[in-house]
Amino acid sequence: MRVIWSPSSVRQSVCQLRRQKRQCLSPSGPSNVGYTHQRRNVIRKFATSSRRLRPISAEEIDISTNSPGLIPGPEIARVIPASPSYFTTAPGFFDELIHAQYLFRKYQTLPLAPTELYQRSAWKSVVQYSMTIGEPIRPKRYSKVLAIIQRLDKIHPYLMPPEVAETTDRYKREINPYLKKAKPPTLDEFGRSVGVGRRKESAARVMLVEGEGEVLINGKSITDVFPRIHDRESALWPLKITSRIDKYNVWALVKGGGSTGQAEAITLGLARALLVHEPLLKPALRRAGCVTRDPRMVERKKPGHLKARKMPQWVKR
């Protein structure tokens, strides 16, 4: 806000003009009889004539510091908003928008950063930004200013102006999840690798160590856990396609779901554990479909249906 001081002469002139206006508009005498004839040159409240009085201009104001009528006090101060967005619904947001547009016009000719130098950033949501500035913001308006900020953030880091970097930092989250990278799994002191796999409602934790090809699942042999040949082949599929069945020993803990879900959960966990020992096998395992987690789940039963999709038999009569 800016505050300016008005001299006392202006206040006196305004008061005098208001007093003269009230005297001219009020009828003389106890009644309104003869008011039309006595006050012909005065604009009446319900006048039909287009004739107006000549405006009375105030005397010239001297706002110099040496003016004797200048009163340095808050008695007759007038407050003027310093921001052009003061009378909008969200002055803080519109000030930020105007500033972002100014920076874009000023630095739009700077070269952009190449892909290998550009660092991906996590931006604040509209709710987080509204809480930061203390004003409710519509998502459409926030997306408009965020598009400008994202364009400014792509400027080459060696040529990034300080004011642009300071502006873009206000829209970024405090914690950038894209900078967090998963630690590569390693072998423990016994030479074991651990892989976790899931399928439907089943979850398996597989440990792989170099050996003679022994397999134990929940402390039992694989033939006791999976009577079907298809489930046994599915569980050991990563070792079979890479010809490593007689090279590693497998010990797995699996729970939840049925036999198919448990066998495919062991497949994913075994593939992940095998990649710790031999990372160069990843292309072969990916072509075999052993690396990607299968997101398919059992569809729920619907009301009026016998199962998820099956309907009861229709009877005409």
Side-chain angles (χ1 to χ4, degrees):
M1 293 288 184
R2 293 179 302 174
V3 179
I4 62 174
W5 309 101
S6 301
S8 59
S9 57
V10 176
R11 184 179 180 183
Q12 296 175 0
S13 301
V14 171
C15 295
Q16 184 178 1
L17 289 175
R18 290 178 179 175
R19 194 180 304 109
Q20 292 177 1
K21 184 177 180 180
R22 287 195 298 268
Q23 293 177 0
C24 294
L25 293 180
S26 60
S28 61
S31 63
N32 295 339
V33 179
Y35 171 66
T36 306
H37 302 285
Q38 294 177 4
R39 303 289 182 181
R40 293 184 181 275
N41 296 330
V42 179
I43 298 178
R44 305 166 189 67
K45 188 175 182 181
F46 301 101
T48 58
S49 175
S50 60
R51 185 178 59 179
R52 297 182 179 180
L53 290 177
R54 184 174 60 183
I56 303 175
S57 59
E59 59 182 9
E60 186 177 357
I61 302 174
D62 184 12
I63 59 175
S64 61
T65 55
N66 300 328
S67 176
L70 189 63
I71 304 176
E75 291 82 4
I76 54 174
R78 185 163 68 104
V79 180
I80 299 178
S83 171
S85 307
Y86 178 76
F87 295 101
T88 59
T89 55
F93 168 75
F94 282 104
D95 287 342
E96 293 285 343
L97 177 60
I98 294 173
H99 183 63
Q101 292 174 344
Y102 163 74
L103 293 179
F104 176 73
R105 290 192 301 267
K106 185 176 181 181
Y107 299 108
Q108 62 180 345
T109 57
L110 293 179
L112 302 181
T115 307
E116 57 273 9
L117 292 180
Y118 177 69
Q119 182 179 352
R120 189 177 179 184
S121 303
W123 306 99
K124 294 181 179 179
S125 63
V126 62
V127 178
Q128 294 173 343
Y129 181 75
S130 300
M131 295 176 62
T132 302
I133 64 176
E135 298 173 352
I137 305 299
R138 297 179 182 177
K140 187 175 181 180
R141 290 180 175 178
Y142 180 65
S143 62
K144 182 178 181 180
V145 67
L146 189 60
I148 301 176
I149 295 299
Q150 290 176 349
R151 169 60 179 78
L152 293 174
D153 190 57
K154 294 181 180 180
I155 297 177
H156 200 286
Y158 298 152
L159 303 176
M160 178 70 71
E163 55 180 344
V164 175
E166 181 182 356
T167 303
T168 55
D169 289 343
R170 293 199 295 266
Y171 294 85
K172 295 179 181 179
R173 298 182 186 177
E174 297 180 358
I175 300 177
N176 191 355
Y178 301 110
L179 298 179
K180 295 183 177 180
K181 296 182 180 179
K183 296 181 180 179
T186 58
L187 300 177
D188 60 4
E189 62 273 13
F190 301 105
R192 298 176 302 183
S193 63
V194 180
V196 178
R198 294 181 178 85
R199 176 71 172 97
K200 295 183 180 179
E201 298 295 332
S202 304
R205 187 170 182 265
V206 182
M207 285 177 284
L208 192 67
V209 65
E210 293 184 4
E212 296 80 17
E214 298 181 2
V215 179
L216 290 178
I217 299 175
N218 292 339
K220 303 177 183 179
S221 64
I222 189 171
T223 55
D224 296 338
V225 178
F226 299 122
R228 295 174 55 198
I229 299 177
H230 176 74
D231 293 338
R232 294 198 294 265
E233 291 183 353
S234 177
L236 301 178
W237 184 247
L239 295 178
K240 184 176 182 180
I241 62 170
T242 56
S243 302
R244 301 293 195 277
I245 291 183
D246 299 334
K247 186 179 177 180
Y248 295 99
N249 292 342
V250 180
W251 191 75
L253 294 175
V254 61
K255 61 181 180 180
S259 59
T260 303
Q262 290 184 356
E264 296 186 5
I266 294 175
T267 303
L268 180 60
L270 182 57
R272 291 176 176 176
L274 182 59
L275 288 177
V276 179
H277 287 274
E278 303 181 44
L280 298 180
L281 295 178
K282 188 171 184 179
L285 293 174
R286 185 174 293 279
R287 287 193 300 267
C290 300
V291 178
T292 306
R293 199 310 198 177
D294 194 346
R296 295 177 297 176
M297 302 292 289
V298 179
E299 190 174 350
R300 65 175 292 270
K301 182 185 178 301
K302 305 334 185 273
H305 293 215
L306 297 179
K307 295 194 297 183
R309 302 286 180 93
K310 185 178 180 180
M311 293 286 292
Q313 182 178 4
W314 178 78
V315 181
K316 186 174 183 180
R317 292 181 181 87

